[in-house]
Amino acid sequence: MARDAPVLVRQEIEVRGLVQGVGFRPFVYRLAQELGLGGDVQNHSQGARVAVEGAATAIARFARRLVAELPAPGRIDSLHATDAPPRGERTFTIAASEVCDGEVALVLPDLALCDDCRRELLDPADRRHHYPFLNCTHCGPRFTIVRNVPYDRVNTTMAGFSLCPDCAREYADPADRRFHAQPNACPECGPRATVIGGDGEPIAAAAALLRAGKTVAVKGLGGYHLACDAGDEAAVARLRERKHREARPLAVMVGSLDQARELGHVSSAEAALLTSPAAPIVLLARRPDAPLAPSLAPGVTTVGVMLAYTPLHVLLLEAFGGPLVMTSGNLTNEPIAHLDDDAAARLGAIADAFLVHDRPIERRCDDSVVAVRRSAPLPLRRSRGYAPAPVQVAAKPAGPVVLAVGGHQKNAFCLLRGDQAFLSHHVGDLENDRALAAFETGIADFERLFDLRPALLAHDEHPDYLATGYALRRAEREGLPLVAVQHHHAHIASCLADNGLDEPVIGVAYDGTGLGPDGTIWGGEILVADRASYRRAGWLRPFRLAGGEAAVKQGWRVALALAQAAGVPPPSWPEVDAPRREFVTEMLAREVRCYRTTSAGRLFDGFSALLGLRAESHYEGEGAVALEGACDEREPGALPFALAETPDGLVMDWTPAVAEALAGGTAGELAMRFHRGLARVTAEACRAVADATGLDRVALSGGCLVNRVLFELLADSLDAVGLRVLRHRQVPPNDGGLALGQAVAARARAEDESYVFGRADAGDGGR
Ligand code: ZN
Ligand code: ZN
Ligand code: FE
């Protein structure tokens, strides 16, 4: 002890960031104890407030260590310290939470089981041995159990379980890992698992059913999964049939990283993702000898793998012993079931048994899907483990709160407040009433949870999207201004926001379909864009979709149009009989119900059919997936594409490629040469735009960027012509990231005083 009494000072510190539900208060408590400081720490709906009192040197050390030693996954976004008159406090306490108006508290995503909890789970001597709902301040459910902020037990779906004396002691002990762990539970006092349609210990019973080839609906974190033996062809085929899901790949769950390595090649970046607290499905290059049923992922060279991320899953995988199909519990195109009654009703005809528990799921949240590209994560679906953590978008802190409603497929909506974009969990394709209801409920839920009222609505220019309809109705009802954002501009704006940039770039939007301001279907665009506006600088040579929607799943219709445009005779397909073929040939010749498009996605489908890979698809993009999967990557050549300069912009002409592809070669070689040719002509066009504008950065976005071969060849080709690549890292390049782009575009226009907002009946094009 110092001989002179130290000068006592008091500091009050406002902390913003991910500080609720991550053990922040216990961490602060222990730190203050260690440094001999008095005061308190309190959660409130904006973040946390810390008051510390003691020697000035100790307080300075406290502030430094607060930032330096904060345990993952916590995150401090800002600290604001003010001096206050000392009160003579010698002890440090954790004060009750306080609700206050104004800003938003961050709600954490759900976190995968941590290593400490895993050890306890598997330790026969631990009181939580084999208890499927253990968790601590570093892991467990968050977003899917929160009913209200602040994040306290009474505001979660754990409110109905009262802590037993042992759990209560842990909860109250600042030295314990479960100090203030809101979902803390044990076999005495917490949720329980049960099996419906089986006998005995629930997890062992479910594992036995799975071994017998049965389908089991498993209630997890953000909803129900449908599980079956991933190595059992009959079981997988039956699940597909019952779920009405014919071809889309099914995800697999394994118990360990070693098991994942038996299914696919795992790089260090992929291993890091698999074992991260988010624990997403990671797309791996499938091993040829992987012990997986053939119908698990037909026609693709990848497999989507995730590690067991809750204790229930860990125990189930341990009891079963091998990889399990874990696909969302729904019928194709419907939202994942998360409420017990609904699950029983909708999944009853699919599942032979149910493995369930009595902890309610407050809101649905599907598994996330991530791929690794150029050693960095590329999200394909951003949901569980990521949502609702905000994306920092480097916008002005002030400005209207924007609600962006997203697109028609892979919908996610976005609330933008200040520089934080709250992109929602995956809502799905808005193609039926159930999906639309999930979308509307989701928006109302986010607005309540984050206490946000939009002052501006952003939507796609397509008038028929259900999401657009919602925005228009709401604008009229609440008298809110509207901003219509062109689909591909939104993709590029999303990529800018993902990278925290707000300056003009060249944007390559290679996508399925989106409405252009000229009334045609865009999707193969090169834009010059910033967040507020865009100009179209180049595009793929347009072609015709005979019958519109019908051509999306019948790539042969596109192939006929491509061959006709190239002036070469098209191939024939066994699945297309002469009358259908003649009918479509006639439609194209007479231009009846033919829609002009520049869509890269449809061009991929057409090429897939031209090469005899997929004439018809079960889902949008299956033809493109098959074309990617067919690539013989040793093939160094490229199909010829022509670049034409017109008064309006650059046209990338694929007709020479079509003619050469039909002249002969293997499908594997031609698929690879198609990808390379398209990448090269795109880079050449970008180089020309760069020379004309002085811009040297190229943002890559749109659904086609999910294609690994295209992504890598495009990035390499842009490198080769001296341009810098901007790519997605936090949000998907497909329509799952669209709302982020809509939100920042709308905000940027709101900051432009000359911009005239739309009414509920008017769209607006680019400038
Ligand atoms: Zn834990
Ligand atoms: Zn207990
Ligand atoms: Fe799109």
Side-chain angles (χ1 to χ4, degrees):
M1 293 296 279
R3 265 168 294 140
D4 302 314
V7 184
L8 276 187
V9 292
R10 181 181 178 86
Q11 244 181 26
E12 293 179 356
I13 309 170
E14 276 294 336
V15 185
R16 304 281 163 88
L18 290 181
V19 293
Q20 291 190 15
V22 292
F24 180 74
R25 288 178 302 172
F27 160 69
V28 170
Y29 178 91
R30 287 193 292 267
L31 193 58
Q33 292 269 311
E34 199 182 309
L35 294 168
L37 296 171
D40 61 9
V41 56
Q42 182 177 45
N43 269 353
H44 54 80
S45 53
Q46 305 175 19
R49 186 179 302 128
V50 185
V52 277
E53 201 164 315
T57 49
I59 286 182
R61 209 169 299 140
F62 175 85
R64 251 195 327 272
R65 290 181 58 186
L66 189 66
V67 176
E69 296 173 20
L70 178 69
R75 188 183 84 207
I76 292 179
D77 289 337
S78 72
L79 275 182
H80 187 71
T82 44
D83 293 326
R87 297 179 188 171
E89 287 177 357
R90 292 298 174 90
T91 55
F92 197 88
T93 55
I94 293 185
S97 295
E98 179 186 290
V99 183
C100 62
D101 296 335
E103 294 182 35
V104 234
L106 297 183
V107 176
L108 269 194
D110 300 301
L111 306 167
L113 184 72
C114 76
D115 290 341
D116 289 331
C117 286
R118 180 186 301 268
R119 260 190 297 280
E120 291 174 349
L121 180 69
L122 302 177
D123 176 3
D126 195 275
R127 75 184 185 94
R128 289 188 176 86
H129 179 235
H130 277 196
Y131 178 58
F133 305 97
L134 88 171
N135 62 82
C136 75
T137 50
H138 302 130
C139 75
R142 300 287 188 275
F143 179 54
T144 54
I145 61 165
V146 176
R147 288 185 164 140
N148 269 306
V149 287
Y151 178 67
D152 279 331
R153 191 172 176 106
V154 293
N155 286 332
T156 71
T157 62
M158 286 297 292
F161 299 91
S162 28
L163 293 165
C164 72
D166 284 340
C167 286
R169 200 173 311 117
E170 293 165 342
Y171 185 89
D173 177 3
D176 197 279
R177 202 169 89 249
R178 296 196 168 89
F179 182 51
H180 285 230
Q182 305 306 341
N184 189 23
C186 80
E188 287 304 311
C189 66
R192 281 157 207 250
T194 33
V195 66
I196 303 167
D199 296 310
E201 195 281 315
I203 289 168
L209 287 163
L210 290 163
R211 271 194 299 273
K214 303 290 186 196
T215 298
V216 179
V218 180
K219 182 178 177 183
L221 209 47
Y224 279 71
H225 280 124
L226 289 164
C228 74
D229 182 346
D232 181 341
E233 175 59 23
V236 176
R238 193 166 50 244
L239 172 55
R240 265 198 192 287
E241 194 192 305
R242 290 182 184 170
K243 199 172 139 89
H244 305 305
R245 176 154 161 157
E246 283 147 318
R248 242 180 256 251
L250 301 168
V252 171
M253 182 182 270
V254 294
S256 69
L257 200 52
D258 284 342
Q259 270 183 23
R261 292 187 202 279
E262 288 170 19
L263 307 184
H265 298 279
V266 181
S267 68
S268 57
E270 285 158 346
L273 266 175
L274 282 166
T275 56
S276 67
I281 295 168
V282 179
L283 276 197
L284 303 175
R286 182 155 45 144
R287 296 176 68 104
D289 58 347
L292 294 170
S295 70
L296 187 97
V300 302
T301 54
T302 54
V303 57
V305 178
M306 63 185 142
L307 297 193
Y309 54 82
T310 71
L312 179 79
H313 292 130
V314 169
L315 294 175
L316 183 63
L317 266 292
E318 191 195 51
F320 178 73
L324 284 174
V325 167
M326 276 284 175
T327 184
S328 33
N330 57 7
L331 284 171
T332 293
N333 295 332
E334 287 190 351
I336 186 171
H338 73 297
L339 302 172
D340 298 331
D341 292 346
D342 181 45
R346 283 162 62 200
L347 307 181
I350 306 177
D352 301 302
F354 281 72
L355 176 60
V356 298
H357 58 76
D358 54 356
R359 185 180 70 207
I361 298 174
E362 178 64 14
R363 60 184 63 74
R364 61 168 59 87
C365 197
D366 290 79
D367 293 317
S368 294
V369 185
V370 184
V372 169
R373 300 281 185 263
R374 286 195 153 188
S375 306
L378 180 76
L380 308 186
R381 182 203 282 165
R382 182 185 182 275
S383 203
R384 177 188 52 77
Y386 299 100
V391 178
Q392 298 287 328
V393 298
K396 288 183 188 145
V401 171
V402 182
L403 168 65
V405 296
H408 189 62
Q409 287 165 321
K410 301 181 175 65
N411 182 278
F413 56 86
C414 180
L415 278 159
L416 173 65
R417 179 201 146 272
D419 59 356
Q420 294 187 316
F422 296 91
L423 185 62
S424 77
H425 52 293
H426 170 76
V427 177
D429 296 353
L430 298 185
E431 274 173 4
N432 54 54
D433 290 346
R434 266 190 220 280
L436 186 65
F439 165 79
E440 296 193 1
T441 314
I443 291 175
D445 180 44
F446 261 57
E447 290 180 6
R448 188 185 54 82
L449 196 60
F450 296 109
D451 194 21
L452 291 172
R453 289 286 156 276
L456 182 59
L457 300 177
H459 62 89
D460 194 272
E461 282 186 358
H462 202 305
D464 300 333
Y465 283 1
L466 293 185
T468 303
Y470 168 87
L472 265 50
R473 282 195 306 278
R474 189 158 172 192
E476 194 164 298
R477 199 170 58 229
E478 297 178 22
L480 295 173
L482 282 166
V483 177
V485 184
Q486 198 279 325
H487 190 91
H488 302 102
H489 176 221
H491 275 304
I492 300 304
S494 171
C495 190
L496 280 170
D498 194 332
N499 287 278
L501 281 178
D502 187 7
E503 55 190 74
V505 293
I506 300 166
V508 174
Y510 279 176
D511 201 26
T513 49
L515 185 65
D518 58 0
T520 73
I521 300 161
W522 287 14
E525 316 307 312
I526 297 180
L527 310 178
V528 172
D530 57 17
R531 288 187 184 183
S533 63
Y534 74 97
R535 165 174 81 74
R536 194 190 197 198
W539 53 91
L540 288 171
R541 176 184 168 136
F543 52 94
R544 282 163 302 155
L545 296 175
E549 269 302 299
V552 173
K553 287 188 178 171
Q554 297 177 22
W556 63 271
R557 290 181 182 237
V558 176
L560 282 182
L562 299 181
Q564 202 182 72
V568 290
S572 56
W573 300 276
E575 54 268 71
V576 183
D577 58 26
R580 284 169 84 202
R581 186 187 170 96
E582 274 158 33
F583 180 69
V584 171
T585 307
E586 193 73 353
M587 281 174 85
L588 287 164
R590 297 185 181 201
E591 303 252 3
V592 181
R593 293 214 307 122
C594 284
Y595 302 85
R596 241 171 94 96
T597 186
T598 53
S599 163
R602 297 293 83 80
L603 183 67
F604 274 81
D605 290 345
F607 250 84
S608 189
L610 275 182
L611 302 186
L613 294 166
R614 276 289 181 294
E616 297 191 296
S617 302
H618 298 95
Y619 60 92
E620 188 191 342
E622 190 186 344
V625 167
L627 190 67
E628 178 194 354
C631 282
D632 177 353
E633 296 189 45
R634 293 161 306 182
E635 164 61 41
L639 288 176
F641 283 71
L643 186 62
E645 231 181 300
T646 74
D648 299 326
L650 298 163
V651 179
M652 295 171 282
D653 184 359
W654 37 262
T655 52
V658 171
E660 190 158 322
L662 289 179
T666 69
E669 286 163 11
L670 290 170
M672 190 65 195
R673 290 172 63 200
F674 169 77
H675 280 81
R676 186 172 279 116
L678 179 62
R680 283 194 188 155
V681 75
T682 307
E684 197 188 330
C686 289
R687 183 68 254 173
V689 176
D691 293 341
T693 57
L695 302 172
D696 74 339
R697 273 200 274 215
V698 181
L700 300 178
S701 196
C704 297
L705 272 301
V706 163
N707 177 324
R708 178 184 60 82
V709 177
L710 179 69
F711 181 100
E712 287 173 357
L713 288 172
L714 255 180
D716 291 349
S717 302
L718 289 165
D719 285 348
V721 297
L723 296 173
R724 290 190 284 163
V725 173
L726 277 179
R727 44 77 59 94
H728 285 277
R729 287 165 197 274
Q730 305 180 74
V731 308
N734 59 37
D735 286 6
L738 197 70
L740 176 66
Q742 293 173 344
V744 297
R747 172 72 78 69
R749 290 191 201 165
E751 283 162 5
D752 174 354
E753 282 163 20
S754 65
Y755 183 77
V756 181
F757 288 100
R759 299 189 319 276
D761 57 359
D764 58 8
R767 279 177 278 175

